[in-house]
Amino acid sequence: MFSRGLKIITKNKILFILTVPLIVLLALEGFSTGSIMKAITWIKSYPSEFFLSYLLMFGIINIFYILPKRAYLVTATIFLALFSALGFISQQKLKLKGDPLLPSDFLLAKEAMGISDHFRNVFVVLGILLIVTVALIRFILKHIAKERKQRYRSIVFLCSFFVVFIFYSFFNSIQNVFALQLITYSQSLNYEQNGTMLGFLMDTEYLKVTKPENYQENAINTIIQNNTSSYPVNADFKPNIIFVMSEAFWDPTLMKNVSFNQDPIPFFHSLQKSQTSGTMVSPVYGGGTANTEFEAMTGFSTQLLPNGSIAYDQYVNRPIEALPTILNRQGYATSAIHTYDDWFYSRDKVYQLEGFNKFITKEFLNNPEYKGPYIRDTVLTQQILNEVKETDKPDFIYAVSMEDHGPYDSTEDPGNTIKASGANLGPQSQAILDNYANRISDVDQSLKQLIDGLKQINQPTMVIFYGDHLPMLGDNYSVYKEAGFIKDGNSYQDYLNLHSVPFVTWNNFSTTVNHNLKLSSNFMGTFALQLAQKSGSPMTDLLANLMQKGNDVIINKDYWNAANISEDTFKDYELLQYDLLFGKEYGYDLKPDHKPPSNTSYIQGDALPVITNVTPSEGSLMIEGNNFVENDQVYLNGKAVKTTYCAPNSLTIDLPQSMAKTTFQVKLSDSRNKVISKSNVYKN
């Protein structure tokens, strides 16, 4: 039957070229929405969006109609498999995070595949699609007769090429003519209305960064001259400044319709009462950690960047006067610590551009303790304390944890001691919330360990502790909805609920306390400089003045009217950010001492390994030196050899057959086989 139907379609030329792109489009939308019936409902509900999607798919597929029939069908089959796979991945991401596949996700493919167990079923489906594709291609080659190239193929090719060209060159005009609406506040609604293809395309267009009006040198100079430092600075006082960005840390007791048999974060709550604390508004929910970090480190706001973008991966490509740069100038040692892979969110490159002296990641940790799939936060705490003890300068440390990273299992962990209860919580939501509460309880203990350790060290020190975003509790906000914390995730109040995380501070040099602070994450760096009485940059000076005026929260522009934020409130901010991130850096012409230097001293690891001696020892060679770690590898004449870690000052390898003209070097590679640390070359 299938063979007969295929032959009928292939013999009717017009039906043939119209049907093939329709099948591919239905596959894309069917996989994206989760069912072919939902795809058909979309066609009925949004005929204009369907027509444009079909027209574009017609152009993409039928460009290849210039090929012989069998080659065309093979190509169309490959496209069918490709679009089906993309649709399925989009549907899985929508279920997990409430957002479909976005253009920026392709920049983060290595992160997504490297961290989430939820994507295991994606590989299963991709495998099935591959098998079906191969089988279909074999069927086509066997049952479809060869056909000579005919003139009408050229006509179809030219028409298809013209369609693709029009979409590429005049897509903005097409949007206006057909009144297409990009729904930026909810990508799920955006794709639901526009379809996967058009929704994705409109997001791609939206990722373009446009130059603000009135961007010119005199405007930037005026902004800088009008925004001098507005808080007291003490050049002689240099306390340690420690940021701890705790992965997905949030206070679940904020859900009023849920109660717990015991406080999951008692120490955090005690700091809220005794120290300066407040609420931080995060730019992201459930993921996108790097955007919160980018804002805190640079003072820039991702709300002034295209929706869906990841600043670290897309926009940081030149030195930035971030907090590390600012504090390096004032005699600080600047360190970043992260208990995960060095390449995640391109931190290995970005941290150098932000001015850090060094970046310590899991590759450099010896036998770290794990809690579930991630390194326990107590390891991070100990590394922070080690840095404070070892350096002879005041420290700026930016620490990023991983223990509390999702996903949170929907099956109850039998070891849970903290239990949640709520009238409307289903069994899966109950288990997710219990598992989350018990994880953050351990994180809370790590925070206590950090503060207790700093008290013992007894150096002037301040700590700012906050979560990067709310945890993704269930698919499509399910736990939050069942708990009555949000309704559908689209209202202004729901936005605030899903983007507000509590933060606490601790210091041993000030008695001033404020419990009612509310800042978006881009103000956190300026807030820290004020507490420590350190001078800043033109950007932090502008932010300090905005804070004085009460403009210390910036949210998604779609909610500015609801929040009574006028278009002029952040105009100067947007101009200065564009100048420093994308523009001609006019600000540094006016203040050349603020231009960040090339960061040539940046290293990965606590210190570079050094080989000082190589000596034979009972059938092996002892590599002596300093700063060795467990994952180091010895290279003998440029080739890696089996290495045994003995201590920070010694490694051993098997004794080679000859020691004549032998060179030794110690290297460390990350999980992507990139060398991230290496010693001197020692010649025998």
Side-chain angles (χ1 to χ4, degrees), residues 289-305:
T289 297
N291 276 0
T292 305
E293 180 180 310
F294 168 78
E295 292 198 349
M297 286 294 93
T298 65
F300 300 153
S301 174
T302 56
Q303 308 293 4
L304 303 177
L305 298 174

Side-chain angles (χ1 to χ4, degrees), residues 374-522:
Y374 304 113
I375 293 175
R376 194 179 178 196
D377 278 11
T378 52
V379 177
L380 181 70
T381 289
Q382 191 55 55
Q383 191 64 46
I384 295 170
L385 295 174
N386 290 343
E387 288 300 309
V388 174
K389 292 175 185 176
E390 291 172 4
T391 53
D392 56 2
K393 295 180 177 181
D395 283 291
F396 170 68
I397 299 172
Y398 194 83
V400 184
S401 75
M402 278 298 288
E403 179 180 343
D404 195 37
H405 200 290
Y408 312 101
D409 205 329
S410 57
T411 302
E412 184 85 24
D413 186 328
N416 285 344
T417 58
I418 302 173
K419 303 281 187 175
S421 59
N424 297 318
L425 287 179
Q428 288 190 339
S429 293
Q430 171 84 45
I432 290 170
L433 194 52
D434 287 351
N435 292 333
Y436 176 75
N438 282 270
R439 280 210 214 171
I440 60 168
S441 177
D442 194 64
V443 173
D444 187 64
Q445 294 173 38
S446 300
L447 174 60
K448 184 178 187 304
Q449 177 189 340
L450 174 63
I451 302 304
D452 289 344
L454 291 171
K455 288 178 180 177
Q456 291 180 8
I457 294 173
N458 198 29
Q459 297 178 11
T461 302
M462 57 176 284
V463 175
I464 300 179
F465 179 95
Y466 57 94
D468 51 350
H469 52 67
L470 267 72
M472 189 170 62
L473 299 179
D475 297 345
N476 199 22
Y477 317 120
S478 60
V479 174
Y480 297 107
K481 289 177 180 177
E482 291 178 24
F485 189 67
I486 64 167
K487 292 181 180 179
D488 57 12
N490 294 324
S491 70
Y492 172 53
Q493 188 57 53
D494 281 357
Y495 173 87
L496 290 180
N497 287 346
L498 289 171
H499 289 78
S500 298
V501 296
F503 75 88
V504 294
T505 70
W506 174 87
N507 74 76
N508 56 5
F509 55 79
S510 173
T511 57
T512 302
V513 174
N514 188 338
H515 297 307
N516 300 310
L517 290 173
K518 187 173 184 180
L519 308 166
S520 50
S521 51
N522 56 305

Side-chain angles (χ1 to χ4, degrees), residues 14 40 185 246 271 275 391 430 519 559 625 673:
I14 296 177
I40 293 172
Y185 63 84
S246 182
L271 286 180
Q275 298 279 335
T391 53
Q430 171 84 45
L519 308 166
Y559 298 105
N673 296 318

Side-chain angles (χ1 to χ4, degrees), residues 24 35 51 65 90 206 219 247 270 349 396 401 413 446 474 485 528 552 574 597 602 621 624 666:
V24 177
S35 77
F51 171 73
Y65 197 68
S90 182
Y206 200 61
E247 173 61 42
S270 70
K349 300 175 183 177
F396 170 68
S401 75
D413 186 328
S446 300
F485 189 67
D552 44 14
E574 188 169 12
Y602 169 79
L621 278 183
E624 299 176 322
V666 173

Side-chain angles (χ1 to χ4, degrees), residues 2 38 55 57 97 102 153 160 183 204 224 232 264 276 309 357 365 382 387 394 407 453 482 498 538 584 657 670:
F2 175 76
K38 288 183 179 179
L55 193 62
M57 187 67 80
K97 294 194 61 179
L102 301 173
R153 292 188 177 278
S160 301
I183 304 175
T204 302
I224 293 175
T276 292
S309 58
N357 299 140
L365 303 177
Q382 191 55 55
E387 288 300 309
E482 291 178 24
L498 289 171
K584 297 183 178 180
Q657 293 181 349
D670 62 17

Side-chain angles (χ1 to χ4, degrees), residues 77-201:
T77 302
I78 294 172
F79 271 109
L80 174 65
L82 176 63
F83 280 110
S84 297
L86 292 175
F88 180 74
I89 292 171
S90 182
Q91 193 259 348
Q92 289 295 297
K93 182 170 180 276
L94 180 63
K95 284 175 60 179
L96 294 172
K97 294 194 61 179
D99 281 333
L101 188 68
L102 301 173
S104 57
D105 291 327
F106 285 90
L107 296 167
L108 300 176
K110 59 185 181 182
E111 283 86 354
M113 293 299 111
I115 198 169
S116 180
D117 289 340
H118 278 299
F119 280 96
R120 287 177 181 172
N121 56 350
V122 171
F123 295 111
V124 174
V125 172
L126 292 181
I128 294 172
L129 283 173
L130 179 61
I131 293 171
V132 172
T133 301
V134 172
L136 188 56
I137 288 172
R138 291 190 65 181
F139 178 87
I140 290 167
L141 296 177
K142 182 177 180 180
H143 292 277
I144 301 298
K146 292 183 178 180
E147 182 184 60
R148 293 181 180 179
K149 187 175 178 180
Q150 299 180 24
R151 291 180 182 177
Y152 71 87
R153 292 188 177 278
S154 299
I155 296 174
V156 175
F157 166 77
L158 290 174
C159 291
S160 301
F161 180 83
F162 180 73
V163 167
V164 173
F165 175 78
I166 291 296
F167 268 87
Y168 178 79
S169 303
F170 303 102
F171 188 61
N172 287 335
S173 299
I174 292 172
Q175 287 181 252
N176 294 332
V177 169
F178 286 85
L180 299 180
Q181 180 185 6
L182 173 65
I183 304 175
T184 56
Y185 63 84
S186 172
Q187 288 298 336
S188 60
L189 292 178
N190 182 39
Y191 280 40
E192 183 180 315
Q193 175 172 314
N194 294 304
T196 303
M197 181 172 280
L198 286 184
F200 187 91
L201 274 181

Side-chain angles (χ1 to χ4, degrees), residues 231 268-269 272 323 393 518 625 631:
Y231 60 88
F268 183 88
H269 285 149
Q272 282 184 311
L323 279 184
K393 295 180 177 181
K518 187 173 184 180
N631 293 320

